[in-house]
Amino acid sequence: MAAHHATGAGDSAGPSAAVPHRLPDYAERVLTVVEDIPPGRVATYGDIAALLGEGGPRQVGTVMARYGGAVPWWRVVRADGTLLPGHEREALEHYRAEGTPLRRGPDGTTARAGGTRRIDMRRARWAGPGPGEAHADHADHAGRG
């Protein structure tokens, strides 16, 4: 799946512009986990780091900020279920289309007091692939640092 995540490299002046470069190994593994999150489910930055057995929420966040545009980035959330600042509207569209559980506010809407939407983490959180579902890249790279 490495080619799936590859991005263009080099300047636009020469033939090297069309040559894809390989993502850093950790980034490749993070993106692979993100692709494995089923529609309607979410994982936290820390969940992904734990599944990989290395890094932490900040490292996963850095990967998502730099390379996450080509994967279902809206399925990676903060531990409290708040939506990614600046991307709330787009994320909410994805959540509604996928049936991701959202928390209900006091007025019965899927918003907190003050209008901040949140994921219902108790219902939406994905714990990782079940037995026999582990992606080959997870097993190949788990525990490496």
Side-chain angles (χ1 to χ4, degrees):
M1 205 177 298
H4 180 74
H5 300 298
T7 58
D11 61 40
S12 59
S16 66
V19 177
H21 76 279
R22 181 165 161 72
L23 291 176
D25 187 52
Y26 185 73
E28 186 70 39
R29 289 182 284 143
V30 166
L31 297 178
T32 297
V33 171
V34 173
E35 287 181 328
D36 288 346
I37 302 169
R41 304 295 298 276
V42 297
T44 68
Y45 296 94
D47 291 342
I48 293 171
L51 283 169
L52 293 174
E54 70 176 290
R58 289 181 189 260
Q59 288 82 7
V60 172
T62 298
V63 169
M64 292 303 296
R66 289 183 182 163
Y67 310 110
V71 297
W73 55 266
W74 59 91
R75 296 182 191 153
V76 183
V77 299
R78 296 175 174 182
D80 67 358
T82 56
L83 307 190
L84 184 63
H87 301 279
E88 298 95 343
R89 184 178 306 197
E90 187 177 357
L92 191 58
E93 289 175 15
H94 288 291
Y95 298 141
R96 287 183 174 148
E98 294 182 357
T100 305
L102 300 172
R103 289 185 62 181
R104 301 249 174 229
D107 61 357
T109 64
T110 52
R112 282 179 61 205
T116 305
R117 289 176 168 79
R118 298 176 94 180
I119 302 295
D120 183 337
M121 294 301 290
R122 188 174 46 90
R123 294 173 40 220
R125 197 172 199 166
W126 179 67
E133 294 179 50
H135 190 283
D137 285 350
H138 298 187
D140 291 346
H141 300 295
R144 285 193 193 170

